[in-house]
Amino acid sequence: MATKTIHEPTILAKRLKEARERIGMPQDKFGVEIGLDEGCSSARISRYESGIHQPPLKTIQAMAKVLNVPLAYLFCEDDLLARAILKLSRLGKRRLADEINRIEEL
């Protein structure tokens, strides 16, 4: 009798799913947006989000662009830090510099 392999989602898998769901984009559409073939896009994204497969870096970069998140967010292991990266990335460059200077003064 064959046993089913259970894959533990990676940090990347978790962050991809969170970010995709946050923007309300279905897996199939997301896959097409990053350049996957329409016929396999949903299955491929499902495998990436479940941790069965790891996408290549170029694909991860395309995902970050479509999801409008920094690449660092997708690899951040700490949930609080990941949220901070996301929030800081949405500030303009000037406000980001001001925030960094303020934090450095603490």
Side-chain angles (χ1 to χ4, degrees):
M1 188 161 116
T3 59
K4 187 175 181 180
T5 303
I6 298 174
H7 296 273
E8 199 56 40
T10 62
I11 289 299
L12 174 63
K14 176 184 173 183
R15 299 276 180 245
L16 283 173
K17 186 172 183 176
E18 286 173 355
R20 182 187 57 76
E21 288 179 344
R22 188 179 309 109
I23 63 171
M25 186 178 289
Q27 288 179 333
D28 58 340
K29 183 175 181 202
F30 179 54
V32 171
E33 288 289 318
I34 64 164
L36 299 177
D37 180 77
E38 190 174 355
C40 69
S41 63
S42 183
R44 293 263 302 271
I45 297 302
S46 177
R47 288 183 182 109
Y48 294 153
E49 289 181 355
S50 64
I52 294 171
H53 294 291
Q54 175 86 12
L57 182 58
K58 280 193 178 271
T59 301
I60 299 169
Q61 290 168 326
M63 291 172 163
K65 185 174 182 176
V66 169
L67 295 169
N68 194 30
V69 298
L71 197 59
Y73 168 80
L74 295 176
F75 291 99
C76 186
E77 294 185 43
D78 181 275
D79 289 338
L80 186 58
L81 185 55
R83 284 178 46 208
I85 289 169
L86 201 54
K87 295 274 187 195
L88 290 171
S89 74
R90 300 224 163 107
L91 297 176
K93 292 216 183 246
R94 181 67 198 148
R95 285 193 59 208
L96 178 58
D98 290 345
E99 278 299 308
I100 290 171
N101 289 334
R102 188 183 66 76
I103 291 169
E104 287 175 340
E105 291 172 1
L106 296 178

